[in-house]
Amino acid sequence: MSEEQLSGAEIVIKALVDQGVDVIFGYPGGAVLPIYDALFQQNHIRHILVRHEQGAVHMAEGYARSTGKPGVVLVTSGPGATNAVTGLTDALMDSIPVVCLTGQVATHLIGNDAFQECDTTGITRPCTKHNWLVKTPDDLSPVVHEAFYVATHGRPGPVVVDLPKDVQIAKGRYTPPGGEIHHKSYRPRVEGDPAKIAEAVELLAKAERPVIYSGGGVINSGPEASRLLREFARESGFPVTSTLMGLGAYPASDRQFLGMLGMHGTWEANHVMHDCDVMLNVGARFDDRITGRLDAFSPNSVKIHIDIDPSSINKNVRVDVPIVGDVRHVLAAIMQAWKALPQAPDRRRLEPWWQQIDQWRAKDCLRYGQSPKVIKPQYALEVLRDRLAGRDAYVTTEVGQHQMWAAQFLRFEEPNRWMTSGGLGTMGYGLPAALGVQVAHPDALVVDVAGESSILMNIQELGTAVQHRLPVKVFILNNEYMGMVRQWQELLHGGRYSESYADALPDFVRLAEAFGCVGLRATDPAELPAMVDEMIATDRPVVFDVVVDKTENCFPMVPSGAAHNEMLLASDHDELGSAVSDAGKALV
């Protein structure tokens, strides 16, 4: 232990440096000025000045999701901390490692309703893995090191360290990390139970209608987990589907990939999930957007569930073989056991299953009606997809129809290239997340696929893009509606479009220019390819307003209250009234 006396603020910075932090996303205020002063006097950590604290957390999420390293946030007390709550909740739902440092009033003022005081630890307890209120400078470095451990081990997630101003000023001792931290109470299990793994392999070897259901846990486990997923799929010959958060863990171009499953998943993916006899869930949590009506979810399958979070197992769906452990370790053990089988499973048993899958694929469920006069959102994304092919590219999204279309039509071959708000569905996520990705990958092409309503939630972060020379591309699918709200109102609420029309929209081209960005607009399908090329070639931040069909709906769709194989296609549109009326009534 070092006996050197440092200010609390200096201790915090030194601890961050020792944790390998190279960038912080933050916004200064009175309660964190000592830390900002310490930041000013060092050259190890870069600071990105955001325009809103919610944006800071989303930037940290984008940074973390695209690198696998924890993102770090620094905000002041009171409203600075409360503005971060949406981002923290988003990170908790999607298992993103974020360390958020919040300023706090001096310890003697806590509880006295001092200026910009709030109960930060109380407010953030439900939306973090853990939080700390540090009361002495000697505790600062151990707590910061512990915070990084908790954020990154087990199921990743956000943590908060609340830092009173007097603790930042007072002198104390710095304690270096000192090797591997062994937390006294938080010790997540990474190795799966060998007996359960053996049972799972035996079931998989005999399966005639298997499916691999992969989720964001594969990506969170690191590149080796994605490699092992691909290896096992090749060895077994099983079909693979993915949640929204798991896209890229398995290559979209591979014939064994069925596309995304769930509410807006593909016809083949949802039917395979429903009719399978053995389901291998790898790092997903059986959320409601996947299962549909629970009593009709994959009723005849044996379910194997791999998850590092014990609380996720049997939480929504009862499973037959629970395996608690890290995906990477468990998949490695499964591969070893699979290769050690006395006799390799006969892949001919899967031929009828693949024949059935090909019949479902023949539905061509993503087919849409093209138009020579108006830009269809699906076409816009196909153009973008073609232009991204072969590039070092990352994609973020806002939340809504455009998000689902992006998941359907953009194809991801590698993990960590797709950043979206899955669990919380946070409008305003995409632009700041794209900035976090661009900070982490300065030479890459980073595109935020946005809606005209969602982008306005954090549009102020264009100022961050310009100040820090982050050439992100904002690709707006502008249909002048809160598109997913309008779609549900059309299908489930009799076409009563209550407050979903986005009236009084800004001129996005002029708005972009006002921030110092480049603004583009396309209205004609014929001009779109050349303008996408122009967007990509521009070495500055770009806002591209793509005016699309106002009435296009996102299909396939599983209506609320329906089973996961009771899907509606675009061709069903004229008959939707009777098909979804009962589901609509169930919501009321």
Side-chain angles (χ1 to χ4, degrees):
M1 179 181 292
S2 170
E3 296 300 321
E4 182 184 5
Q5 293 286 306
L6 302 172
S7 72
E10 292 170 331
I11 290 173
V12 170
I13 298 301
K14 188 172 179 59
L16 295 177
V17 171
D18 283 352
Q19 287 294 334
V21 175
D22 55 7
V23 64
I24 292 175
F25 304 94
Y27 200 92
V32 284
L33 286 183
I35 296 178
Y36 271 90
D37 190 53
L39 270 173
F40 185 83
Q41 299 180 63
Q42 57 82 49
N43 295 311
H44 300 285
I45 298 175
R46 180 185 181 189
H47 181 272
I48 302 296
L49 178 64
V50 305
R51 300 305 187 263
H52 191 282
E53 290 87 355
Q54 179 185 345
V57 184
H58 293 328
M59 288 182 208
E61 288 185 272
Y63 177 94
R65 186 74 173 172
S66 66
T67 64
K69 300 191 296 184
V72 180
V73 175
L74 176 59
V75 298
T76 195
S77 62
T82 58
N83 281 347
V85 165
T86 297
L88 292 170
T89 309
D90 190 275
L92 184 70
M93 291 285 280
D94 286 345
S95 305
I96 310 300
V98 171
V99 177
C100 182
L101 308 175
T102 59
Q104 184 56 274
V105 300
T107 52
H108 68 278
L109 294 175
I110 292 176
N112 291 337
D113 294 333
F115 178 68
Q116 290 194 334
E117 179 195 358
C118 73
D119 179 7
T120 299
T121 53
I123 290 168
T124 61
R125 187 169 292 118
C127 62
T128 57
K129 284 184 70 175
H130 195 60
N131 59 22
W132 298 260
L133 172 62
V134 184
K135 295 183 178 179
T136 68
D138 286 349
D139 290 336
L140 278 170
S141 49
V143 165
V144 171
H145 299 320
E146 183 180 353
F148 276 85
Y149 175 87
V150 173
T152 57
H153 284 68
R155 179 178 177 178
V159 298
V160 163
V161 181
D162 203 26
L163 304 167
K165 190 170 184 178
D166 57 330
V167 175
Q168 300 173 42
I169 296 171
K171 297 287 187 178
R173 293 187 301 274
Y174 176 73
T175 304
E180 181 69 23
I181 295 175
H182 296 283
H183 196 275
K184 59 185 177 182
S185 60
Y186 183 63
R187 297 180 182 179
R189 180 175 180 174
V190 296
E191 302 288 348
D193 181 342
K196 294 293 184 184
I197 289 171
E199 182 181 359
V201 170
E202 183 179 355
L203 288 166
L204 292 166
K206 296 176 180 178
E208 296 180 355
R209 302 186 310 280
V211 65
I212 300 173
Y213 157 36
S214 62
V218 181
I219 293 174
N220 287 340
S221 185
E224 179 66 8
S226 293
R227 188 194 66 78
L228 287 164
L229 174 68
R230 298 168 189 221
E231 182 182 357
F232 181 68
R234 285 194 300 271
E235 289 284 337
S236 65
F238 292 175
V240 182
T241 183
S242 172
T243 66
L244 178 72
M245 298 304 294
L247 293 174
Y250 194 84
S253 62
D254 192 276
R255 183 185 178 276
Q256 290 174 238
F257 187 62
L258 307 178
M260 182 178 72
L261 76 161
M263 179 173 281
H264 293 286
T266 66
W267 182 271
E268 53 267 32
N270 282 352
H271 279 80
V272 163
M273 288 284 284
H274 185 270
D275 287 5
C276 67
D277 62 354
V278 178
M279 177 189 299
L280 176 61
N281 178 332
V282 186
R285 56 188 178 87
F286 290 111
D287 71 277
D288 61 294
R289 292 297 170 109
I290 299 300
T291 63
R293 197 174 74 244
L294 278 172
D295 63 0
F297 176 70
S298 195
N300 300 312
S301 67
V302 174
K303 299 173 181 68
I304 304 163
H305 189 186
I306 304 168
D307 205 296
I308 199 165
D309 182 2
S311 71
S312 290
I313 292 181
N314 291 324
K315 183 177 184 178
N316 298 324
V317 172
R318 297 292 300 181
V319 300
D320 302 281
V321 185
I323 304 175
V324 178
D326 182 85
V327 165
R328 173 170 56 90
H329 292 269
V330 175
L331 281 180
I334 286 176
M335 276 301 308
Q336 184 177 14
W338 183 270
K339 291 179 178 179
L341 287 169
Q343 185 173 354
D346 186 357
R347 293 176 67 149
R348 288 176 298 180
R349 78 193 190 284
L350 302 179
E351 289 176 2
W353 186 224
W354 277 109
Q355 290 170 6
Q356 175 62 73
I357 291 170
D358 287 339
Q359 291 179 25
W360 285 324
R361 276 178 164 160
K363 275 279 190 180
D364 193 13
C365 65
L366 299 181
R367 183 175 64 250
Y368 64 95
Q370 186 54 277
S371 168
K373 297 181 179 179
V374 63
I375 299 172
K376 293 288 186 174
Q378 302 96 321
Y379 172 69
L381 287 166
E382 286 180 330
V383 172
L384 178 63
R385 179 188 68 207
D386 293 344
R387 295 323 193 260
L388 296 183
R391 295 180 182 272
D392 182 20
Y394 296 78
V395 175
T396 70
T397 77
E398 308 292 337
V399 168
Q401 283 179 318
H402 62 274
Q403 176 190 29
M404 295 297 103
W405 279 316
Q408 292 172 340
F409 286 89
L410 301 181
R411 297 182 186 138
F412 299 95
E413 302 297 313
E414 299 295 335
N416 305 104
R417 298 295 176 133
W418 162 255
M419 277 59 62
T420 195
S421 175
L424 194 61
T426 306
M427 293 176 71
Y429 167 91
L431 173 56
L435 296 175
V437 175
Q438 192 77 79
V439 168
H441 308 277
D443 298 324
L445 172 62
V446 183
V447 180
D448 171 32
V449 177
E452 80 293 326
S453 296
S454 197
I455 190 64
L456 291 175
M457 290 284 188
N458 275 314
I459 194 73
Q460 74 282 343
E461 299 306 335
L462 288 176
T464 302
V466 172
Q467 177 181 347
H468 294 282
R469 297 179 176 85
L470 303 172
V472 297
K473 319 302 180 191
V474 181
F475 192 73
I476 301 175
L477 301 182
N478 185 350
N479 59 13
E480 298 183 4
Y481 277 96
M482 300 174 202
M484 194 61 81
V485 174
R486 183 202 58 74
Q487 177 168 333
W488 279 50
Q489 288 173 334
E490 176 183 330
L491 304 182
L492 303 178
H493 297 279
R496 293 180 292 277
Y497 303 122
S498 177
E499 302 299 326
S500 56
Y501 180 62
D503 204 359
L505 285 170
D507 180 327
F508 284 107
V509 172
R510 294 172 65 187
L511 180 63
E513 292 169 349
F515 272 103
C517 304
V518 174
L520 302 172
R521 179 179 292 113
T523 59
D524 186 336
E527 67 183 346
L528 188 61
M531 294 194 71
V532 172
D533 289 338
E534 181 182 353
M535 176 189 78
I536 292 173
T538 304
D539 61 357
R540 293 164 55 198
V542 176
V543 177
F544 189 1
D545 184 17
V546 184
V547 180
V548 300
D549 189 336
K550 295 178 176 58
T551 61
E552 191 75 6
N553 286 328
C554 184
F555 294 109
M557 176 183 174
V558 177
S560 182
H564 67 128
N565 66 324
E566 296 173 349
M567 306 178 71
L568 299 172
L569 302 180
S571 57
D572 302 320
H573 187 269
D574 293 338
E575 305 171 13
L576 287 178
S578 59
V580 301
S581 59
D582 291 341
K585 291 174 184 176
L587 292 174
V588 179

